[in-house]
């Protein structure tokens, strides 16, 4: 199939940026979206045009590196799918495709389609861990954890930190990301000792990074490639209230 | 130079304990005076950085990804082994040790493997304490499964995302130390060379991948945890960014490269669909617990798989290996798949694939039970292929997955360059000629959490602080070399992109040094690789400049190193005139087509020393002594 691409090009963080139009020729339906871009990039290089820079690594939907807004939707229109796992069979000959980077104040563009998501790392550093030094753990089976609690923790822990939730949210809120980590650790006995401190710390950092607040659009849940539910945001709010009430 | 493995004396079960006692300690108050550079933040690198920082050392950690949470350890699906014996099924440290040595086809160092099995139990404790949500039973205890041919259930797992959860655990520990100011983190920063002064690793030269700035970093020790070199085949299950550069640069500076020809081909990957293919996706081999592998008995049978009656199907693994069946080890399963495809019985649009069929398991257990076990994997398969594995058998084929070879290290994980340590997949030490399923995560974390924190202290205590910092002229020299090399890529202005050279190299390697090897093919590769390398330096096309983010430029450097590294792999495969584990030399097989090992002549680790680009490297041998495990022919019949 042949497609027309409109791609965001931006030389660096200081450049204003603009959409450019490119042709994607002879695209096979079995290609992934990123393989389609590889083909276009090879073509551009032969024409002397610098290839489109985009973030990617594992190309199997787990590392969370890829981050394209395709036709206005983070990771494209398929539900529960990262853009590296989006295949061209979901497009048809003659389609126009608009490709943009994540848009959020807290995610400045580095180049073309690549953004800086280090804000997520700083939120994690503000409490997204259990303070246990290597070697000081007790036997793994000494604290029974119900299957339900373990499953809830895993549902939350499935987050790949891609930032699609932020890109999808009209407020550029990072609450789905932050709530996933807070909920994972709040569901487990290991996370109890620092429960309040963690909620306060991570939320304070989230605000400091310039992410917006949740106003219940639920666009994050719709865009999340791992389908993390918004119920975790409610849980995070409870965790925050709990911490405030306890004065911690 | 003789290779000293530095394996401690004494009974195998006591070696590590004795060694820990004999190693020198750094006084707690003095730990802050020592610094280490850690390159790579996957399981091995992140766990090492966190653990060493907890002890009080100052750590600088580097990764090429935008954040340490994305290293390719994240993609491991199936699980992590540990000799907990929670299932009361007869597992023990000794059994895990034995299985690993045997699975590695007797080409690993016994003492290292024993230590790995010993610390495996503490890894699970540590990860649980961090909040890793392993699967649980209703009673609240940890669940286990049997994995990849093991006859005990010793594999711990977190759905199909075990690597992700373990990495996020190590990453969270790393985050805590970054917040504490004990780790300085440098993401989007690529190591481009190692700096050695007076036979000691002193630091590294890196490129900031956003600004293009080249800079030097010095420390009292350098630790590489930079993963494997599976992308030498271009198509592999590795992430696109995985590369050999850090390890290869260390090799060029004097670190020996061990067993490069031991590359694991994973039997259950989604087959290639076309020339544009950029990577191959692994389907966890836990699928082999319930899926049955088959091809049609007839050649070129184009019928829909569901229309092929039972009696016309060849369940070749069950037929050839009745006691292990579909769970035969990775190397054996992979080669058997290649055999049937070479016979013309391959399936799918390209004829290069075999079926992995869940029909019988669905009939026996029901769709829901299968969905519970493998739901996310089935979904992933459907997303990629557009086919529903509940209705049609999956198509699978082997692909390059893991590299057992790596930089040579002694028992302390120190390379042949003093002060340069190597962890995880980047070293060669524990898996011999073939790695067992669910053992990569175990080794990465063992090295990072429980080995290097001890052995690095001994090194610091003995060697003291490095008396050379980044103002030394050698750093300036190396920076200049790196800058010149970078400019060279940009100045050739030829016609072929680095990706196109990489693809061609991959084809050469897969054809001549892939699942099966023979002398003639390997010699052909030795002609093709230098020719391709020559073309690379004359006809490379890299647009843009070196002062900003330039992904083509990054790739050019990695491909340039793969083009040199590939040759050591070939020399190693040529020299090893036997078949063992993942290394199958067609000349050395039994009448039944099984691998024929030659313990008399090849019971050694080959460690290669750099002698110049395009020149045959020098071979050093570390002979392998087996005091505890009796050498035996692996039989999975």
């Amino acid at each position: 199939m042949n497609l027309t691409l409109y791609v965001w090009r931006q030389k660096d963080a200081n450049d204003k940026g603009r959409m450019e139009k490119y042709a994607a020729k002879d695209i096979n339906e079995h290609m992934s979206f990123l393989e389609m871009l590889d083909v276009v990039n090879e073509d551009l290089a032969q024409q002397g045009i610098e290839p489109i820079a985009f973030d990617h690594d594992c190309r199997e939907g787990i590392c969370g590196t890829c981050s394209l807004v395709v036709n206005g939707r983070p990771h494209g229109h398929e539900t529960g799918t990262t853009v590296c796992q989006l295949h061209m069979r979901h497009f048809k000959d003659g389609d126009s495709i608009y490709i943009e980077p994540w848009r959020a104040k807290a995610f400045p563009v580095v180049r073309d389609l690549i953004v800086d998501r280090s804000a997520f790392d700083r939120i994690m550093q503000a409490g997204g861990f259990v303070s246990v030094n290597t070697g000081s753990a007790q036997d793994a089976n000494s604290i029974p954890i119900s299957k339900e609690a373990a499953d809830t923790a895993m549902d939350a822990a499935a987050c790949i930190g891609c930032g699609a939730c932020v890109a999808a949210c009209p407020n550029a809120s990072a609450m789905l990301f932050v709530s996933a980590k807070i909920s994972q650790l709040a569901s487990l006995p290991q996370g109890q000792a620092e429960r309040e401190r963690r909620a306060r710390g991570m939320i304070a950092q989230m605000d400091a990074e310039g992410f917006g607040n949740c106003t219940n659009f639920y666009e994050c849940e719709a865009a999340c490639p791992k389908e993390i539910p918004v119920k975790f945001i409610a849980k995070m709010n409870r965790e925050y209230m709990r911490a405030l009430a306890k004065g911690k | 130079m003789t290779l000293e493995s530095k394996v401690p004396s004494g009974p195998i079960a006591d070696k590590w304990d004795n060694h820990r006692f004999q190693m020198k300690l750094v006084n707690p108050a003095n730990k802050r005076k020592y610094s280490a550079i850690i390159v790579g933040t996957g399981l091995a690198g992140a766990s090492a950085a966190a653990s060493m920082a907890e002890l009080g050392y100052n750590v600088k950690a580097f990764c090429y990804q935008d954040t340490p949470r994305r290293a390719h350890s994240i993609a491991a699906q199936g699980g992590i082994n540990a000799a907990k014996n929670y299932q009361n099924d007869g597992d023990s440290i000794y059994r895990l040790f034995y299985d690993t040595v045997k699975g590695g086809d007797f080409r690993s160092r016994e003492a290292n493997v024993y230590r790995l099995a010993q610390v495996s139990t503490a890894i699970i404790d540590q990860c649980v304490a961090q909040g890793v949500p392993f699967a649980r039973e209703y009673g609240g205890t940890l669940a286990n499964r049997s994995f990849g041919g093991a006859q005990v259930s010793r594999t711990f797992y977190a759905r199909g995302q075990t690597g992700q959860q373990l990495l996020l655990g190590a990453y969270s520990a790393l985050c805590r130390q970054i917040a504490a100011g004990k780790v300085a983190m440098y993401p989007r920063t690529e190591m481009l060379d190692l700096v050695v002064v007076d036979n000691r690793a002193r630091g590294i030269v890196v490129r900031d991948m956003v600004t293009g700035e080249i800079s030097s970093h010095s420390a009292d020790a350098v630790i590489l945890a930079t993963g494997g070199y599976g992308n030498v085949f271009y198509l592999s299950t590795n992430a696109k960014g995985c590369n050999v550069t850090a390890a290869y640069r260390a090799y060029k500076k004097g670190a020996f490269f061990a067993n490069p020809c031991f590359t694991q081909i994973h039997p259950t990957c989604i087959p290639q669909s076309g020339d544009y293919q950029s990577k191959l996706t692994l389907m966890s081999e836990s699928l082999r617990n319930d899926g049955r592998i088959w091809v049609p008995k007839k050649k070129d049978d184009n019928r829909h798989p569901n229309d092929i009656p039972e009696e016309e199907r060849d369940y070749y693994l069950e037929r050839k290996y009745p006691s292990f069946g579909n769970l035969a080890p990775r190397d054996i399963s992979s080669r058997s798949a290649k055999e049937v495809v070479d016979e013309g019985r391959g399936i799918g649009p390209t004829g290069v694939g075999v079926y992995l069929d869940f029909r019988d398991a669905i009939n026996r257990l029901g769709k829901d039970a299968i969905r519970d076990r493998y739901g996310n994997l089935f979904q992933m398969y459907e997303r990629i292929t557009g086919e529903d594995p509940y209705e049609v058998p999956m198509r699978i084929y082997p692909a390059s997955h893991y590299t057992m070879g790596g930089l040579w290290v002694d028992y302390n994980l120190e390379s042949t360059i003093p002060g340069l340590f190597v962890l995880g997949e980047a070293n060669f030490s524990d898996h011999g000629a073939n790695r067992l399923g669910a053992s990569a995560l175990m080794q990465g974390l063992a090295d990072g959490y429980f080995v290097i924190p001890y052995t690095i202290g001994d090194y610091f205590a003995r060697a003291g602080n490095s008396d050379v910092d980044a103002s030394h002229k050698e750093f300036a020299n190396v920076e200049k070399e790196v800058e010149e090399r970078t400019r060279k890529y940009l100045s050739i202005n030829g016609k072929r992109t680095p990706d196109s050279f990489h693809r061609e190299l991959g084809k050469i390697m897969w054809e001549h040094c892939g699942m099966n090897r023979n002398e003639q093919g390997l010699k052909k590769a030795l002609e093709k690789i230098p020719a391709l390398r020559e073309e690379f330096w004359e006809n490379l096309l890299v647009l843009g400049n070196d002062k900003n983010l330039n992904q083509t430029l990054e790739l050019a450097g990695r491909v340039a190193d793969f083009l040199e590294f590939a040759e050591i792999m070939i020399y190693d495969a040529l020299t090893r005139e036997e078949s063992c584990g993942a290394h199958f030399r067609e000349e050395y097989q039994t009448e039944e087509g099984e691998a024929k090992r030659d313990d008399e002549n090849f019971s050694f680790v080959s460690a290669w020393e750099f002698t110049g680009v395009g020149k045959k490297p020098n071979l050093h041998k570390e002979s392998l002594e087996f005091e505890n495990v009796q050498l035996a022919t692996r039989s999975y019949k």
Side-chain angles (χ1 to χ4, degrees), chain A residues 60 89 111 121 134 139, chain B residues 54 86 171 278-279 384 549:
Chain A
E60 49 187 275
R89 68 180 72 92
R111 170 158 210 177
D121 286 321
T134 304
D139 183 84
Chain B
E54 286 161 10
Y86 281 161
Y171 162 74
S278 61
K279 77 154 278 159
I384 293 172
L549 192 146

Side-chain angles (χ1 to χ4, degrees), chain B residues 407-590:
Chain B
L407 290 172
W408 185 90
V409 289
D410 63 16
Y411 188 71
N412 297 318
L413 306 182
E414 190 173 7
S415 72
T416 50
I417 300 175
L420 177 71
F421 293 77
V422 190
L423 318 182
E425 190 180 352
N427 73 28
F428 87 103
S429 73
D430 294 359
H431 305 296
N434 178 48
R435 179 176 66 73
L436 292 180
S439 285
L441 302 180
M442 172 173 68
Q443 187 225 337
L445 291 180
D447 287 359
Y449 282 135
F450 296 111
V451 180
I452 193 72
Y454 297 92
T455 59
I456 199 80
D458 182 57
Y459 174 76
F460 287 147
R462 283 184 293 107
N465 284 111
S466 169
D467 51 357
V468 163
D469 65 17
S471 63
H472 189 276
K473 68 175 188 319
E474 183 59 15
F475 278 91
N477 291 344
V478 176
E479 274 190 33
K480 199 166 151 242
E481 280 169 32
V482 167
E483 272 165 18
E484 278 169 10
R485 205 158 59 227
T486 310
R487 273 200 295 273
K488 173 83 178 157
Y489 300 132
L490 287 159
S491 67
I492 299 169
N493 221 352
K495 291 201 163 55
R496 289 182 68 182
T497 57
D499 197 62
S500 124
F501 284 103
H502 194 183
R503 272 179 206 271
E504 189 174 339
L505 174 69
K507 277 192 186 140
I508 296 172
M509 296 307 284
W510 184 246
E511 189 181 340
H512 299 300
C513 200
M515 267 188 282
N516 288 10
R517 293 125 185 217
N518 62 52
E519 187 181 343
Q520 204 192 352
L522 290 165
K523 287 193 167 153
K524 206 170 277 170
L526 272 188
E527 292 165 15
K528 288 182 182 171
I529 297 165
L532 184 65
R533 192 166 59 226
E534 207 171 298
E535 194 199 335
F536 177 90
W537 289 107
E538 282 163 7
N539 197 22
L540 178 70
L541 172 63
V542 180
L543 296 169
N545 66 62
D546 61 347
K547 294 287 174 262
N548 60 12
L549 192 146
N550 187 338
Q551 293 176 313
T552 319
L553 181 64
E554 293 159 17
L555 186 62
R558 295 170 193 167
V559 174
D561 287 333
F562 272 128
L563 280 166
E564 292 182 13
F565 166 77
E567 265 178 329
I568 341 172
M569 254 177 90
I570 304 287
Y571 279 119
D572 192 40
L574 257 179
T575 307
R576 193 164 281 278
E577 294 176 328
E578 64 162 347
S579 293
C580 64
H583 172 64
F584 191 79
R585 279 283 299 265
E586 288 168 355
E587 303 94 318
Y588 307 99
Q589 52 180 311
T590 65

Side-chain angles (χ1 to χ4, degrees), chain A residues 35 42 46 54-55 57-60 63 65 80 89 111 121 133-134 139-141 145 155 157 161 184, chain B residues 51 54 64 67 70 84 86 125 131 140 142 159 165 171 188 240-241 278-279 383-384 497 549 551:
Chain A
E35 283 168 346
E42 182 68 38
Q46 295 306 335
F54 62 93
D55 254 336
D57 205 17
C58 80
R59 295 202 176 192
E60 49 187 275
C63 74
T65 311
R89 68 180 72 92
R111 170 158 210 177
D121 286 321
N133 283 353
T134 304
D139 183 84
N141 256 350
I145 300 174
D155 289 343
Q184 176 200 341
Chain B
S51 304
E54 286 161 10
Y64 74 75
T67 149
R70 308 210 195 280
K84 282 284 198 186
Y86 281 161
D125 299 341
L142 288 152
R159 292 197 190 140
Q165 293 310 314
Y171 162 74
R188 287 204 201 272
K240 290 299 285 176
S278 61
K279 77 154 278 159
R383 207 170 283 141
I384 293 172
T497 57
L549 192 146
Q551 293 176 313

Side-chain angles (χ1 to χ4, degrees), chain A residues 62 124 128 147-162 165 174-188 198 202 224-236 239, chain B residues 69 131-134 158-159 161 164-165 168:
Chain A
I62 191 72
M124 282 290 292
K147 188 171 186 304
E148 289 79 7
D151 284 348
T152 304
M154 184 61 221
D155 289 343
C159 168
I160 57 175
C162 65
C165 46
M175 282 195 173
L176 193 64
F177 168 78
V178 179
S179 71
K181 185 47 71 177
I182 287 179
S183 302
Q184 176 200 341
L185 296 177
S187 308
L188 297 170
R198 176 178 309 113
M202 291 182 77
C224 177
K226 296 297 149 185
E227 303 180 293
I228 310 269
V230 290
K231 71 174 185 194
F232 290 127
I233 297 181
K235 187 169 173 67
M236 176 178 84
E239 290 296 314
Chain B
R69 68 178 289 151
V132 169
F134 283 117
R159 292 197 190 140
Q161 291 125 278
Q164 179 200 24
Q165 293 310 314
L168 294 181

Side-chain angles (χ1 to χ4, degrees), chain B residues 98-130:
Chain B
Y98 178 84
D99 287 355
T100 307
V101 171
K102 181 187 171 201
D105 219 359
F106 306 95
R107 290 294 174 266
S108 47
R109 199 188 279 148
E110 269 192 346
N112 285 57
V113 179
Y114 194 89
R115 175 177 64 191
L116 175 68
Q118 266 177 313
V119 303
S120 68
T121 57
I123 294 171
I124 303 302
D125 299 341
Q126 185 62 31
C127 295
V128 167
Q130 289 167 347

